Coordinates of all heavy atoms in Angstrom, one line a residue:
M241 N -97.5 67.7 248.7 CA -97.1 67.2 250.1 C -95.8 66.5 250.0 O -95.6 65.6 249.1 CB -98.2 66.2 250.5 CG -98.0 65.6 251.8 SD -99.4 64.7 252.3 CE -98.6 63.5 253.3
T242 N -94.9 66.9 250.8 CA -93.6 66.2 250.9 C -93.5 65.1 251.9 O -94.2 65.2 252.9 CB -92.4 67.2 251.2 OG1 -92.7 67.8 252.4 CG2 -92.4 68.3 250.1
M243 N -92.8 64.1 251.6 CA -92.7 63.0 252.6 C -91.5 63.3 253.5 O -90.4 63.7 253.1 CB -92.4 61.7 251.9 CG -93.6 61.3 251.0 SD -93.5 59.6 250.5 CE -93.6 58.7 252.0
M244 N -91.7 63.1 254.8 CA -90.7 63.4 255.8 C -89.7 62.2 255.9 O -88.6 62.4 256.2 CB -91.3 63.7 257.1 CG -92.1 65.0 257.1 SD -92.8 65.3 258.7 CE -91.4 65.9 259.6
F245 N -90.2 61.0 255.7 CA -89.4 59.8 255.8 C -89.5 59.0 254.5 O -90.6 58.9 254.0 CB -89.9 59.0 257.0 CG -89.8 59.7 258.3 CD1 -90.9 60.2 258.9 CD2 -88.6 59.8 259.0 CE1 -90.9 60.9 260.1 CE2 -88.5 60.5 260.2 CZ -89.6 61.0 260.7
A246 N -88.4 58.5 254.2 CA -88.5 57.6 253.0 C -89.1 56.3 253.4 O -89.0 55.8 254.5 CB -87.0 57.3 252.5
P247 N -89.9 55.7 252.5 CA -90.5 54.4 252.9 C -89.5 53.4 253.1 O -88.4 53.4 252.6 CB -91.4 54.1 251.7 CG -90.9 54.9 250.6 CD -90.2 56.1 251.2
L248 N -89.8 52.4 254.0 CA -88.9 51.3 254.3 C -88.7 50.5 253.0 O -89.6 50.1 252.3 CB -89.4 50.5 255.4 CG -89.4 51.1 256.8 CD1 -90.0 50.1 257.8 CD2 -88.0 51.5 257.2
D249 N -87.5 50.2 252.7 CA -87.1 49.3 251.6 C -86.8 48.0 252.2 O -85.7 47.8 252.8 CB -85.9 49.9 250.8 CG -85.6 49.1 249.6 OD1 -86.3 48.1 249.3 OD2 -84.6 49.5 248.9
F250 N -87.7 47.0 252.1 CA -87.5 45.7 252.7 C -86.4 44.9 252.0 O -86.1 43.9 252.5 CB -88.9 45.0 252.7 CG -89.8 45.6 253.7 CD1 -90.9 46.3 253.2 CD2 -89.6 45.5 255.0 CE1 -91.8 46.9 254.1 CE2 -90.5 46.1 255.9 CZ -91.6 46.8 255.5
D251 N -85.9 45.4 250.9 CA -84.9 44.6 250.2 C -83.5 44.9 250.9 O -82.6 44.2 250.8 CB -84.7 45.1 248.7 CG -85.9 44.6 247.9 OD1 -86.5 43.6 248.3 OD2 -86.3 45.3 246.9
H252 N -83.5 45.9 251.8 CA -82.3 46.3 252.5 C -82.4 46.1 254.0 O -81.8 46.8 254.8 CB -81.9 47.8 252.2 CG -81.6 48.1 250.8 ND1 -81.2 47.1 249.9 CD2 -81.7 49.2 250.1 CE1 -81.0 47.7 248.7 NE2 -81.3 49.0 248.8
R253 N -83.2 45.1 254.3 CA -83.4 44.9 255.8 C -82.1 44.6 256.5 O -81.9 45.0 257.6 CB -84.4 43.7 256.0 CG -85.8 44.1 256.2 CD -86.6 43.0 256.5 NE -87.3 42.5 255.3 CZ -88.1 41.5 255.2 NH1 -88.3 40.8 256.3 NH2 -88.6 41.2 254.1
E254 N -81.2 43.8 255.9 CA -80.0 43.5 256.5 C -79.1 44.7 256.8 O -78.6 44.8 257.9 CB -79.2 42.5 255.7 CG -78.0 41.9 256.4 CD -77.4 40.8 255.6 OE1 -78.1 39.9 255.1 OE2 -76.1 40.8 255.5
E255 N -79.1 45.6 255.9 CA -78.4 46.9 256.1 C -79.0 47.7 257.2 O -78.3 48.2 258.0 CB -78.3 47.7 254.8 CG -77.5 47.1 253.7 CD -77.6 47.9 252.4 OE1 -78.0 49.1 252.5 OE2 -77.3 47.4 251.4
C256 N -80.3 47.7 257.3 CA -81.0 48.4 258.3 C -80.7 47.8 259.7 O -80.4 48.5 260.7 CB -82.5 48.5 258.1 SG -83.0 49.5 256.7
S257 N -80.7 46.5 259.7 CA -80.5 45.8 261.0 C -79.0 46.0 261.5 O -78.7 46.2 262.7 CB -80.8 44.3 261.0 OG -80.0 43.7 260.1
D258 N -78.1 46.1 260.5 CA -76.7 46.4 260.9 C -76.6 47.8 261.4 O -75.9 48.0 262.4 CB -75.8 46.2 259.7 CG -75.6 44.7 259.3 OD1 -75.9 43.9 260.1 OD2 -75.1 44.5 258.1
L259 N -77.2 48.7 260.8 CA -77.2 50.1 261.3 C -77.9 50.2 262.6 O -77.4 50.9 263.5 CB -78.0 51.0 260.3 CG -77.2 51.3 259.0 CD1 -78.1 52.1 258.0 CD2 -76.0 52.1 259.2
Y260 N -79.0 49.5 262.8 CA -79.6 49.5 264.1 C -78.7 49.0 265.2 O -78.6 49.5 266.3 CB -80.9 48.7 264.0 CG -81.6 48.5 265.4 CD1 -82.3 49.5 266.0 CD2 -81.4 47.3 266.1 CE1 -82.9 49.4 267.2 CE2 -82.0 47.1 267.3 CZ -82.7 48.2 267.9 OH -83.3 48.0 269.1
R261 N -78.1 47.8 264.9 CA -77.2 47.2 265.9 C -76.0 48.1 266.2 O -75.6 48.3 267.4 CB -76.7 45.9 265.4 CG -77.7 44.8 265.6 CD -77.0 43.4 265.5 NE -76.7 42.9 264.2 CZ -77.6 42.5 263.3 NH1 -78.9 42.5 263.6 NH2 -77.2 42.1 262.1
A262 N -75.5 48.8 265.2 CA -74.3 49.7 265.4 C -74.8 50.9 266.3 O -74.1 51.3 267.2 CB -73.8 50.2 264.1
A263 N -75.9 51.4 266.0 CA -76.5 52.6 266.7 C -76.7 52.2 268.2 O -76.4 52.9 269.1 CB -77.7 53.1 266.1
R264 N -77.3 51.0 268.3 CA -77.6 50.5 269.7 C -76.4 50.2 270.5 O -76.3 50.5 271.7 CB -78.4 49.2 269.6 CG -78.8 48.5 270.9 CD -80.2 48.7 271.2 NE -80.6 47.9 272.4 CZ -80.9 48.4 273.5 NH1 -81.0 49.7 273.6 NH2 -81.2 47.7 274.5
L265 N -75.4 49.6 269.8 CA -74.1 49.4 270.5 C -73.4 50.7 270.9 O -72.9 50.8 272.0 CB -73.2 48.6 269.6 CG -71.8 48.2 270.1 CD1 -72.0 47.3 271.3 CD2 -71.0 47.5 269.1
E266 N -73.5 51.7 270.1 CA -72.9 53.0 270.4 C -73.6 53.6 271.6 O -73.0 54.1 272.5 CB -72.9 53.9 269.2 CG -72.3 55.3 269.5 CD -72.2 56.2 268.3 OE1 -72.6 55.8 267.2 OE2 -71.8 57.3 268.5
M267 N -75.0 53.5 271.6 CA -75.8 54.0 272.7 C -75.4 53.3 274.0 O -75.2 53.9 275.1 CB -77.2 53.9 272.4 CG -78.1 54.5 273.5 SD -79.9 54.0 273.4 CE -79.8 52.3 273.7
L268 N -75.3 52.0 274.0 CA -75.0 51.2 275.2 C -73.6 51.5 275.6 O -73.4 51.6 276.9 CB -75.2 49.7 274.9 CG -76.6 49.2 274.7 CD1 -76.6 47.8 274.2 CD2 -77.4 49.4 275.9
H269 N -72.7 51.7 274.7 CA -71.3 52.1 275.1 C -71.3 53.4 275.8 O -70.6 53.6 276.8 CB -70.4 52.1 273.8 CG -69.0 52.5 274.1 ND1 -68.6 53.8 274.1 CD2 -67.9 51.8 274.5 CE1 -67.3 53.9 274.4 NE2 -66.9 52.7 274.7
D270 N -72.0 54.4 275.3 CA -72.1 55.7 275.9 C -72.7 55.6 277.3 O -72.2 56.3 278.3 CB -72.9 56.7 275.1 CG -72.1 57.1 273.8 OD1 -70.9 56.8 273.7 OD2 -72.8 57.6 272.9
R271 N -73.8 54.8 277.4 CA -74.4 54.7 278.7 C -73.5 54.0 279.7 O -73.4 54.4 280.9 CB -75.7 53.9 278.6 CG -76.8 54.6 277.9 CD -78.1 53.8 277.7 NE -78.6 53.3 279.0 CZ -79.6 52.5 279.1 NH1 -80.1 51.9 278.0 NH2 -80.0 52.1 280.3
L272 N -72.7 53.0 279.3 CA -71.8 52.3 280.2 C -70.7 53.3 280.6 O -70.3 53.3 281.8 CB -71.2 51.1 279.5 CG -70.2 50.3 280.3 CD1 -70.8 49.8 281.5 CD2 -69.6 49.2 279.4
A273 N -70.1 54.1 279.7 CA -69.1 55.0 280.0 C -69.6 56.0 281.0 O -68.9 56.4 282.0 CB -68.6 55.7 278.7
N274 N -70.8 56.5 280.8 CA -71.4 57.5 281.8 C -71.6 56.8 283.1 O -71.3 57.4 284.2 CB -72.8 58.0 281.2 CG -73.4 59.0 282.1 OD1 -72.7 59.7 282.8 ND2 -74.7 59.2 282.0
R275 N -72.1 55.6 283.2 CA -72.3 54.9 284.4 C -71.0 54.7 285.2 O -70.9 54.8 286.4 CB -73.0 53.6 284.2 CG -73.3 52.7 285.4 CD -74.4 53.3 286.2 NE -75.6 53.7 285.5 CZ -76.7 53.1 285.4 NH1 -76.8 51.9 286.0 NH2 -77.8 53.6 284.8
L276 N -69.9 54.3 284.4 CA -68.6 54.1 285.0 C -68.1 55.4 285.6 O -67.5 55.4 286.7 CB -67.6 53.5 284.0 CG -67.9 52.0 283.6 CD1 -67.0 51.6 282.5 CD2 -67.8 51.1 284.8
D277 N -68.3 56.5 284.9 CA -67.9 57.8 285.5 C -68.6 58.1 286.8 O -68.0 58.6 287.7 CB -68.1 58.9 284.4 CG -67.2 58.9 283.3 OD1 -66.1 58.2 283.3 OD2 -67.5 59.5 282.2
R278 N -69.9 57.8 286.8 CA -70.6 58.0 288.0 C -70.2 57.1 289.2 O -70.1 57.6 290.3 CB -72.1 57.9 287.7 CG -72.7 59.0 286.9 CD -74.1 58.8 286.4 NE -75.0 58.3 287.4 CZ -76.2 57.7 287.2 NH1 -76.6 57.5 285.9 NH2 -76.9 57.3 288.1
V279 N -69.9 55.9 288.8 CA -69.4 54.9 289.9 C -68.1 55.4 290.4 O -67.8 55.4 291.6 CB -69.3 53.5 289.3 CG1 -68.6 52.6 290.2 CG2 -70.7 52.9 289.1
E280 N -67.2 55.8 289.5 CA -65.9 56.3 289.9 C -66.0 57.5 290.8 O -65.3 57.6 291.8 CB -65.0 56.6 288.7 CG -63.6 56.9 289.0 CD -62.7 57.1 287.8 OE1 -63.0 56.5 286.8 OE2 -61.7 57.8 287.9
S281 N -66.9 58.4 290.4 CA -67.1 59.6 291.3 C -67.6 59.3 292.6 O -67.2 59.8 293.7 CB -68.1 60.6 290.5 OG -68.4 61.7 291.3
A282 N -68.6 58.3 292.7 CA -69.2 57.9 294.0 C -68.1 57.2 294.8 O -68.0 57.4 296.0 CB -70.3 57.0 293.7
A283 N -67.2 56.4 294.2 CA -66.2 55.7 294.9 C -65.2 56.7 295.5 O -64.8 56.6 296.7 CB -65.4 54.8 294.0
D284 N -64.9 57.8 294.8 CA -64.0 58.8 295.3 C -64.7 59.5 296.5 O -64.0 59.8 297.5 CB -63.7 59.9 294.2 CG -62.8 59.4 293.1 OD1 -62.1 58.4 293.3 OD2 -62.8 60.0 292.0
E285 N -66.0 59.7 296.5 CA -66.7 60.4 297.6 C -66.6 59.4 298.8 O -66.5 59.9 299.9 CB -68.1 60.7 297.2 CG -68.2 61.8 296.2 CD -67.7 63.1 296.7 OE1 -67.9 63.5 297.9 OE2 -67.0 63.8 295.9
V286 N -66.8 58.1 298.6 CA -66.7 57.2 299.7 C -65.3 57.2 300.3 O -65.2 57.1 301.6 CB -67.1 55.8 299.2 CG1 -66.8 54.7 300.3 CG2 -68.6 55.7 298.8
V287 N -64.3 57.2 299.5 CA -62.9 57.2 300.0 C -62.7 58.5 300.9 O -62.1 58.4 302.0 CB -61.9 57.1 298.9 CG1 -60.5 57.4 299.4 CG2 -62.0 55.7 298.2
K288 N -63.2 59.6 300.4 CA -63.0 60.9 301.1 C -63.8 60.8 302.5 O -63.2 61.2 303.5 CB -63.5 62.0 300.3 CG -62.7 62.4 299.1 CD -63.3 63.6 298.4 CE -62.6 63.8 297.1 NZ -63.3 64.8 296.2
A289 N -65.0 60.3 302.4 CA -65.8 60.2 303.7 C -65.1 59.2 304.6 O -65.1 59.5 305.9 CB -67.2 59.7 303.3
A290 N -64.6 58.1 304.1 CA -63.9 57.2 305.0 C -62.7 57.8 305.7 O -62.4 57.6 306.9 CB -63.5 55.9 304.2
A291 N -61.9 58.6 304.9 CA -60.8 59.3 305.5 C -61.2 60.2 306.6 O -60.5 60.3 307.6 CB -60.0 60.0 304.4
V292 N -62.3 61.0 306.3 CA -62.7 61.9 307.4 C -63.2 61.1 308.6 O -62.9 61.5 309.7 CB -63.9 62.7 306.8 CG1 -64.6 63.5 307.9 CG2 -63.4 63.7 305.7
L293 N -63.9 60.0 308.4 CA -64.3 59.2 309.5 C -63.2 58.6 310.3 O -63.2 58.7 311.6 CB -65.2 58.0 309.0 CG -65.8 57.1 310.1 CD1 -66.7 57.9 311.1 CD2 -66.5 56.0 309.4
V294 N -62.1 58.2 309.6 CA -61.0 57.7 310.3 C -60.3 58.8 311.1 O -59.9 58.6 312.3 CB -60.0 57.0 309.3 CG1 -58.6 56.8 310.0 CG2 -60.5 55.7 308.8
D295 N -60.2 60.0 310.5 CA -59.5 61.1 311.3 C -60.3 61.5 312.5 O -59.8 61.6 313.6 CB -59.4 62.3 310.3 CG -58.3 62.1 309.3 OD1 -57.5 61.2 309.5 OD2 -58.3 62.9 308.3
V296 N -61.7 61.6 312.3 CA -62.5 62.0 313.4 C -62.5 60.9 314.5 O -62.3 61.2 315.7 CB -63.9 62.2 313.0 CG1 -64.9 62.4 314.1 CG2 -64.0 63.5 312.1
T297 N -62.6 59.6 314.1 CA -62.7 58.5 315.1 C -61.3 58.4 315.8 O -61.3 58.3 317.1 CB -63.0 57.2 314.4 OG1 -64.2 57.4 313.7 CG2 -63.1 56.1 315.4
H298 N -60.2 58.5 315.1 CA -58.9 58.4 315.7 C -58.7 59.5 316.7 O -58.2 59.3 317.8 CB -57.8 58.3 314.6 CG -56.5 58.2 315.2 ND1 -56.0 57.1 315.8 CD2 -55.4 59.1 315.3 CE1 -54.8 57.3 316.3 NE2 -54.4 58.5 315.9
S299 N -59.0 60.7 316.3 CA -58.7 61.9 317.2 C -59.6 61.8 318.4 O -59.1 62.1 319.5 CB -58.9 63.2 316.4 OG -60.2 63.4 316.1
N300 N -60.8 61.4 318.3 CA -61.7 61.3 319.4 C -61.3 60.2 320.3 O -61.3 60.4 321.6 CB -63.1 61.1 319.0 CG -63.8 62.4 318.4 OD1 -63.3 63.5 318.6 ND2 -64.8 62.2 317.7
A301 N -60.9 59.1 319.8 CA -60.4 58.0 320.6 C -59.1 58.3 321.4 O -58.9 58.0 322.5 CB -60.3 56.7 319.8
T302 N -58.2 58.9 320.7 CA -56.9 59.3 321.3 C -57.2 60.4 322.4 O -56.6 60.2 323.5 CB -56.0 59.9 320.2 OG1 -55.8 59.0 319.2 CG2 -54.7 60.3 320.8
E303 N -58.0 61.3 322.1 CA -58.3 62.3 323.1 C -59.0 61.7 324.3 O -58.6 62.0 325.5 CB -59.2 63.4 322.5 CG -58.5 64.3 321.5 CD -59.4 65.3 320.8 OE1 -60.6 65.4 321.2 OE2 -59.0 65.9 319.8
A304 N -59.9 60.8 324.1 CA -60.6 60.2 325.2 C -59.6 59.3 326.0 O -59.7 59.3 327.3 CB -61.8 59.3 324.7
F305 N -58.7 58.6 325.3 CA -57.8 57.8 326.0 C -56.8 58.7 326.9 O -56.5 58.4 328.0 CB -57.0 56.9 325.0 CG -56.0 56.0 325.6 CD1 -56.5 54.9 326.3 CD2 -54.6 56.2 325.6 CE1 -55.6 54.0 326.8 CE2 -53.7 55.3 326.1 CZ -54.2 54.2 326.8
E306 N -56.3 59.8 326.3 CA -55.4 60.6 327.0 C -56.2 61.3 328.2 O -55.6 61.4 329.3 CB -54.9 61.7 326.1 CG -53.9 61.1 325.1 CD -53.5 62.1 324.0 OE1 -54.1 63.2 323.9 OE2 -52.5 61.8 323.2
D307 N -57.4 61.6 328.0 CA -58.2 62.2 329.1 C -58.3 61.2 330.3 O -58.2 61.5 331.4 CB -59.6 62.7 328.7 CG -59.5 63.9 327.8 OD1 -58.4 64.6 327.8 OD2 -60.5 64.2 327.1
A308 N -58.5 59.9 329.9 CA -58.7 58.8 330.9 C -57.4 58.7 331.7 O -57.4 58.5 332.9 CB -59.1 57.5 330.2
I309 N -56.3 58.7 331.0 CA -55.0 58.6 331.7 C -54.8 59.8 332.6 O -54.3 59.6 333.8 CB -53.8 58.5 330.6 CG1 -53.9 57.2 329.9 CG2 -52.5 58.7 331.3 CD1 -52.9 57.1 328.7
R310 N -55.1 61.0 332.2 CA -54.9 62.2 333.1 C -55.8 62.1 334.3 O -55.4 62.5 335.4 CB -55.1 63.4 332.2 CG -54.0 63.8 331.3 CD -54.2 65.2 330.7 NE -53.7 65.1 329.4 CZ -54.4 65.1 328.3 NH1 -55.7 65.1 328.3 NH2 -53.8 65.0 327.1
S311 N -57.0 61.6 334.1 CA -57.9 61.7 335.2 C -57.8 60.5 336.1 O -58.3 60.5 337.3 CB -59.4 61.7 334.7 OG -59.7 60.5 334.0
N312 N -57.1 59.4 335.7 CA -57.0 58.2 336.6 C -55.5 57.8 336.6 O -54.9 57.3 335.7 CB -57.8 57.1 335.9 CG -57.8 55.8 336.8 OD1 -57.1 55.8 337.8 ND2 -58.6 54.9 336.4
S313 N -54.9 58.1 337.8 CA -53.4 57.8 337.9 C -53.1 56.3 337.7 O -52.0 56.0 337.3 CB -52.9 58.3 339.2 OG -53.5 57.7 340.3
S314 N -54.1 55.4 338.0 CA -53.8 54.0 337.9 C -53.7 53.6 336.5 O -53.2 52.5 336.1 CB -54.8 53.2 338.7 OG -56.1 53.4 338.1
A315 N -54.2 54.4 335.6 CA -54.2 54.1 334.1 C -52.9 54.6 333.5 O -52.7 54.4 332.3 CB -55.4 54.7 333.4
A316 N -52.0 55.2 334.3 CA -50.8 55.8 333.7 C -49.9 54.7 333.1 O -49.1 55.0 332.2 CB -50.0 56.5 334.8
F317 N -50.0 53.5 333.6 CA -49.1 52.4 333.0 C -49.5 52.1 331.5 O -48.8 51.5 330.8 CB -49.2 51.1 333.8 CG -50.6 50.4 333.7 CD1 -50.7 49.4 332.8 CD2 -51.6 50.8 334.5 CE1 -51.9 48.8 332.7 CE2 -52.9 50.2 334.4 CZ -53.0 49.1 333.5
L318 N -50.7 52.6 331.1 CA -51.1 52.3 329.7 C -50.5 53.3 328.7 O -50.7 53.1 327.5 CB -52.7 52.5 329.6 CG -53.5 51.4 330.4 CD1 -55.0 51.7 330.3 CD2 -53.2 50.0 329.8
H319 N -49.7 54.2 329.2 CA -49.1 55.2 328.3 C -48.2 54.5 327.3 O -47.3 53.7 327.8 CB -48.4 56.3 329.1 CG -47.7 57.3 328.2 ND1 -48.4 58.2 327.4 CD2 -46.4 57.4 327.9 CE1 -47.5 58.9 326.7 NE2 -46.3 58.4 327.0
L320 N -48.3 54.8 326.1 CA -47.4 54.2 325.1 C -46.7 55.4 324.3 O -47.4 56.4 324.0 CB -48.1 53.3 324.1 CG -48.7 52.1 324.6 CD1 -49.6 51.4 323.5 CD2 -47.7 51.1 325.1
D321 N -45.5 55.3 324.1 CA -44.8 56.3 323.2 C -45.0 55.9 321.8 O -45.4 54.8 321.4 CB -43.3 56.3 323.5 CG -43.0 56.9 324.9 OD1 -43.7 57.8 325.3 OD2 -42.0 56.4 325.5
A322 N -44.7 56.9 320.9 CA -44.9 56.7 319.5 C -44.1 55.5 319.0 O -42.9 55.3 319.4 CB -44.5 57.9 318.7
G323 N -44.7 54.6 318.3 CA -44.0 53.4 317.8 C -44.1 52.2 318.7 O -43.7 51.1 318.3
Q324 N -44.5 52.4 319.9 CA -44.7 51.2 320.8 C -46.0 50.5 320.6 O -47.0 51.1 320.2 CB -44.6 51.7 322.3 CG -43.3 52.1 322.8 CD -43.4 52.5 324.3 OE1 -44.2 53.2 324.7 NE2 -42.5 51.9 325.1
T325 N -46.0 49.2 320.9 CA -47.2 48.4 320.9 C -47.4 47.7 322.2 O -46.5 47.7 323.0 CB -47.1 47.4 319.7 OG1 -46.1 46.5 320.0 CG2 -46.9 48.0 318.4
L326 N -48.6 47.2 322.4 CA -48.9 46.5 323.6 C -48.2 45.1 323.6 O -48.0 44.5 324.7 CB -50.4 46.3 323.7 CG -51.2 47.5 324.0 CD1 -52.7 47.2 324.1 CD2 -50.8 48.1 325.4
G327 N -47.9 44.6 322.5 CA -47.1 43.3 322.4 C -47.8 42.1 323.0 O -47.2 41.4 323.8
M328 N -49.0 41.9 322.6 CA -49.8 40.8 323.2 C -49.4 39.5 322.5 O -49.2 39.2 321.4 CB -51.3 41.0 323.1 CG -51.6 42.3 323.8 SD -53.3 42.0 324.4 CE -53.3 43.2 325.7

């Protein structure tokens, strides 16, 4: 019968604990790197979604405002050219 594992040598406990700590640190480092990659990917998706939301909201608000001006002649004074502000 062959032994699959060498018996623990309690005289080398310190070496074993150093190896364990090094292995655990490497595992935690890998997990952290993986988690940071996932967070970065999720942040990129949020930025893309926010840009789409801004585009959709801006275009709908602009279209609604222009439609209101066309349908109501008294609102024509609200027309602003590019670069103009209300100046409140």
Side-chain angles (χ1 to χ4, degrees):
M241 180 174 153
T242 61
M243 294 194 65
M244 296 180 73
F245 300 101
L248 290 176
D249 183 1
F250 291 107
D251 294 330
H252 298 336
R253 265 188 261 179
E254 190 172 314
E255 290 175 22
C256 289
S257 64
D258 289 343
L259 287 173
Y260 172 79
R261 279 197 285 284
R264 178 108 172 113
L265 183 60
E266 183 176 354
M267 180 192 69
L268 291 173
H269 179 268
D270 291 345
R271 287 176 62 188
L272 179 61
N274 184 23
R275 182 69 49 99
L276 290 175
D277 288 343
R278 289 173 42 200
V279 167
E280 188 173 333
S281 177
D284 290 342
E285 293 298 319
V286 169
V287 168
K288 288 178 189 175
V292 168
L293 180 62
V294 166
D295 288 343
V296 168
T297 303
H298 179 70
S299 66
N300 287 343
T302 302
E303 290 170 11
F305 184 72
E306 289 172 352
D307 289 343
I309 289 173
R310 282 189 216 106
S311 66
N312 185 355
S313 62
S314 64
F317 73 93
L318 292 175
H319 176 74
L320 295 174
D321 290 326
Q324 285 184 311
T325 63
L326 290 175
M328 301 210 157

